[in-house]
Amino acid sequence: MAFTRRKTLGQWLPLIALAACGIGSAQAQDHYPSKPIRVIVPYPAGGGTDIIARLIGVQLSQRLGQPVVVENKPGASGILGNDTVAKAPGDGYTVLMGITTVVQIPALYKKVPYKLSDLAPVSQVAKSADLLMVPRSSGVTTLEQFVQKAKAAPGTFNYGSYGNATSSHMNGERFKQKAGIDITHIPYQGSGPEMAAMLGGQLTLAFVDATAAYPHIKSDKINILAVTGAQRHPALPQVPTMTEAGYPGLEANGWFGMFLPATAPKAIVDRLGTEVAAIVKTPELNKRLTEMGLIAVGSLPDEFKAQIDRDATHWKSVAEAAQISMD
């Protein structure tokens, strides 16, 4: 004889609640967004990250029919803002506009309040590169010429970066190792002051972010010897990549990208990723990014996730090889 055991009300309640949560979650996704979206920028207002967030925010608000509010939350090299989003509810209403440091920080700091896996990649908005330059007065026109001079006079030359533990610092240390040269690192508080120092003749070499260097790429005070990244910069088609110049290992690009908390439903991540990618590909935003010295990307979530995985491995190996640590 078959025996059927009846559930008591107490046994049914958890199942009913679970089903209700599932229905509520599905309804929330179907109606997303139904309230204002907050975009966290982990850096001060007025910088490149802030400008891009506000440009995207205007169009995103128009496309989604909800206000998009940009909130600057600077501190601890971006960790404060990144952590705010990593720990936010996964409902799609708290978004991060991050940069390359999102994947570099775990390689540089032993104690970070969040894990990279706590963030869900939404879209890589744009990518950048560091331009390796020297004063034109140096007479150096190729990277190999600089290397030969540096080898002939160890400890005499220096290189500037836009800050300790930034991409330019890590690229500089990787270059030193690849070239086998002894040059002194001089960090600046941002690309602006670094670029000013190069134009003023205070540096013998510098890795300058393309956004800060862009207004000066035709200056008669500098020679640009190479660019980091896997491809040549569109604005400098005649300038080789570091790999083409004979020094591989600096193929990673800097980038700007958007993230949600990892707990956000895939449907919301995909929806937001599709919208952001479409915005990036509009002539208006594409033009603005180009004017900033950036290369527009507009990738979808899965593509950005694959890029994040590659970059995390790359920057970890660079930090370990150069023994760069911020702890």
Side-chain angles (χ1 to χ4, degrees), residues 43 77 99-101 104 127-133 159-172 185-197 203 205-213 228 252-256 294 315:
Y43 305 100
S77 300
I99 62 173
T100 330
T101 56
Q104 292 171 332
K127 59 184 179 181
S128 182
D130 283 344
L131 311 187
L132 182 57
M133 62 184 67
Y159 82 90
S161 78
Y162 40 85
N164 281 313
T166 60
S167 296
S168 59
H169 179 197
M170 298 172 83
N171 283 329
H185 174 221
I186 301 180
Y188 286 82
Q189 294 297 314
S191 292
E194 179 196 14
M195 189 70 225
L203 292 167
L205 184 78
F207 282 89
V208 183
D209 182 76
T211 54
T228 62
N253 286 97
W255 45 256
F256 297 81
L294 299 170
W315 292 116

Side-chain angles (χ1 to χ4, degrees), residues 77 114 119 145 156 159 215 229 255 273 275 312 326:
S77 300
Y114 64 92
L119 294 167
Q145 286 179 355
T156 303
Y159 82 90
W255 45 256
E275 297 291 353
M326 297 304 292

Side-chain angles (χ1 to χ4, degrees), residues 120-143:
V122 170
S123 178
Q124 183 183 23
V125 173
K127 59 184 179 181
S128 182
D130 283 344
L131 311 187
L132 182 57
M133 62 184 67
V134 295
R136 186 163 295 181
S137 59
S138 68
V140 172
T141 57
T142 69
L143 193 50

Side-chain angles (χ1 to χ4, degrees), residues 72-137:
N72 299 91
K73 209 172 185 66
S77 300
I79 292 177
L80 182 60
N82 296 346
D83 186 50
T84 297
V85 177
K87 291 182 169 58
D91 54 11
Y93 294 98
T94 305
V95 185
L96 172 68
M97 173 57 80
I99 62 173
T100 330
T101 56
V102 170
V103 296
Q104 292 171 332
I105 283 171
L108 297 168
Y109 294 81
K110 292 180 180 178
K111 295 181 180 179
V112 182
Y114 64 92
K115 300 187 295 294
L116 186 56
S117 59
D118 292 334
L119 294 167
V122 170
S123 178
Q124 183 183 23
V125 173
K127 59 184 179 181
S128 182
D130 283 344
L131 311 187
L132 182 57
M133 62 184 67
V134 295
R136 186 163 295 181
S137 59

Side-chain angles (χ1 to χ4, degrees), residues 200-271:
Q202 300 163 25
L203 292 167
T204 51
L205 184 78
F207 282 89
V208 183
D209 182 76
T211 54
Y214 195 70
H216 308 284
I217 59 175
K218 295 183 180 180
S219 170
D220 60 1
K221 294 184 178 181
I222 60 172
N223 284 335
I224 301 173
L225 309 181
V227 300
T228 62
Q231 290 88 31
R232 296 189 180 195
H233 195 285
L236 298 163
Q238 77 284 4
V239 177
T241 65
M242 292 291 295
T243 300
E244 290 173 331
Y247 299 95
L250 293 91
E251 294 84 7
N253 286 97
W255 45 256
F256 297 81
M258 302 191 85
F259 299 81
L260 282 168
T263 52
K266 187 176 186 301
I268 289 180
V269 174
D270 289 344
R271 169 77 190 283

Side-chain angles (χ1 to χ4, degrees), residues 15 33 36 41 50 58 151 174 222 246 255-256 324:
L15 298 176
V41 174
D50 178 67
V58 170
K151 285 184 174 179
R174 171 59 67 95
I222 60 172
W255 45 256
F256 297 81
I324 302 175

